[in-house]
Amino acid sequence: MKSYLFPILGSIEELVQQERQMPTPAYGQVLVRMRAASLNYRDLTVARGRLPRAKTVDLVPLSDGAGEVVAIGDGVTRHVVGDRVAGLFFQDWAGGALSERMAASALGGPVDGVLTEYRLFDEDGLIEIPDHLTFQEAATLPCAALTAWHALFGGARTLLPGQRVLLLGSGGVSLFALQFAVLAGAHVIATSSDDDKLVRMRDMGAQETLNYREQPEWGRIIAERGGVDHVVEVGGAGTLPHSMQACRFGGAIHLIGVLTGGQIDPANIMRRNLLLEGVNVGSGEMFAGMNAALRAHRLHPLIDRVFSFDEARDAYHYFAGTRGMGKVVINIS
């Protein structure tokens, strides 16, 4: 079988394709023929050697993939040959609170990922995917989609119909959060530096949009318009002061990304009774809940571009420099 790996980390150029031995499932294991994988910003961080916990030698990359079960080992009860499945981002996080041990089971970082024709999983590390989704669509779910779902529905404060939610940018998490918030009946405010993307987000259901480059005081502007109950915060320290300003008294900020640097003044959190919650993808239990919503509403992820398996390095480069909108997918087989 063919697999991609980074013999060493440091740059996208280190990615190579190799022929490897076909694995055989042991007790409790499932062999999956991977059909598609998708890229997240985290995958660029890993490739560049900037994820502290990532395996540094011969790492098979990418956390997000979907495929079909082709063989099972003794003792497997949750899956049968032919099941359409996706891998959990955290292989050991079935439910409950995330622990340090569970965090060390992330695909495409501490453990090998899914950019390979076949991969062994423990049976608890897989979840069936909705029937209405293609493998390419399902491959976008484990990280970006589940992170958005966790932020809005799996954390300490749940988004309710009629509430106001602010989304930053048009990356994968923000676009899934837009789709989920619209399904929940929320009033969505979306930001971007690209007016064409703002038009598309309005077409997807956002009621208000702001160009944050043209309106750098977007936090104040949103506050003057009534503020928001939730912020899906993907920027980090550089955008957090504006997000805090945009929040209503008692609002919730779901911190996902750390793309920008800066200083954080915690006084606003205390004075305005804000909830600042870190969101780290999600559990298998959350994934099941998200899949139920996807099935009920027949929601389809937004895909920007699909690359062939032999074009994996090109997919990395495209993703690193893209101005596109939607997920970048690699078709494996």
Side-chain angles (χ1 to χ4, degrees):
M1 70 172 189
K2 296 177 181 178
S3 297
Y4 276 96
L5 56 87
F6 285 100
I8 58 171
L9 298 175
S11 77
I12 295 170
E13 300 307 319
E14 303 295 340
L15 183 67
V16 296
Q17 186 183 117
Q18 288 188 359
E19 192 71 32
R20 309 183 90 182
Q21 185 175 356
M22 177 74 73
T24 300
Y27 187 90
Q29 289 185 323
V30 174
L31 180 64
V32 176
R33 178 191 179 193
M34 303 305 303
R35 300 293 298 273
S38 73
L39 284 152
N40 297 287
Y41 180 80
R42 171 183 181 268
D43 299 310
L44 297 180
T45 304
V46 170
R48 293 163 179 164
R50 297 174 187 167
L51 189 71
R53 300 185 71 168
K55 176 183 172 185
T56 58
V57 177
D58 292 340
L59 172 70
V60 178
L62 303 192
S63 59
D64 289 18
E68 58 188 323
V69 174
V70 293
I72 61 174
D74 292 340
V76 171
T77 59
R78 295 187 57 180
H79 304 285
V80 297
V81 171
D83 280 353
R84 302 168 75 247
V85 294
L88 303 184
F89 180 91
F90 291 113
Q91 286 287 283
D92 293 340
W93 189 13
L98 179 65
S99 68
E100 186 172 2
R101 176 189 63 79
M102 296 171 185
S105 68
L107 293 173
V111 299
D112 283 334
V114 298
L115 194 54
T116 179
E117 290 183 316
Y118 293 86
R119 192 190 189 284
L120 283 177
F121 292 86
D122 288 339
E123 66 169 329
D124 293 336
L126 294 168
I127 189 165
E128 290 191 48
I129 58 177
D131 291 340
H132 73 284
L133 297 182
T134 66
F135 286 115
Q136 293 173 357
E137 290 173 325
T140 71
L141 300 179
C143 183
L146 188 55
T147 299
W149 182 266
H150 181 176
L152 296 178
F153 307 110
R157 197 164 299 168
T158 297
L159 177 67
L160 300 174
Q163 288 188 327
R164 293 164 62 86
V165 57
L166 170 62
L167 309 177
L168 306 188
S170 58
V173 172
S174 295
L175 291 179
F176 275 115
L178 170 56
Q179 291 178 292
F180 294 150
V182 169
L183 290 183
H187 181 99
V188 179
I189 303 172
T191 70
S192 174
S193 62
D194 186 319
D195 287 336
D196 290 337
K197 291 181 179 179
L198 292 175
V199 171
R200 291 187 67 183
M201 286 191 279
R202 278 187 176 271
D203 290 341
M204 293 174 67
Q207 286 90 347
E208 298 180 53
T209 55
L210 278 171
N211 187 312
Y212 61 78
R213 285 192 179 160
E214 295 177 0
Q215 298 174 299
E217 297 299 316
W218 49 269
R220 175 185 57 78
I221 293 169
I222 292 170
E224 290 173 352
R225 295 180 182 178
V228 296
D229 302 284
H230 297 263
V231 181
V232 178
E233 170 57 79
V234 299
T239 54
L240 191 54
H242 298 285
S243 293
M244 290 191 285
Q245 191 175 22
C247 267
R248 292 172 169 174
F249 188 91
I253 299 173
H254 311 282
L255 183 60
I256 292 161
V258 287
L259 302 180
T260 58
Q263 298 295 317
I264 299 173
D265 180 3
N268 267 335
I269 300 174
M270 178 186 68
R271 282 198 299 263
R272 304 184 58 238
N273 193 34
L274 302 179
L275 170 68
L276 179 60
E277 178 181 35
V279 176
N280 198 346
V281 193
S283 67
E285 192 173 65
M286 293 179 200
F287 207 146
M290 179 183 73
N291 278 346
L294 292 172
R295 291 185 182 99
H297 296 278
R298 299 192 67 80
L299 186 147
H300 290 272
L302 182 64
I303 293 177
D304 174 31
R305 185 169 169 183
V306 178
F307 289 81
S308 72
F309 190 58
D310 289 336
E311 297 173 319
R313 191 186 292 177
D314 294 334
Y316 266 88
H317 283 298
Y318 177 81
F319 181 71
T322 185
R323 296 290 296 169
M325 188 169 167
K327 297 293 289 180
V328 175
V329 174
I330 298 170
N331 200 46
I332 298 176
S333 61

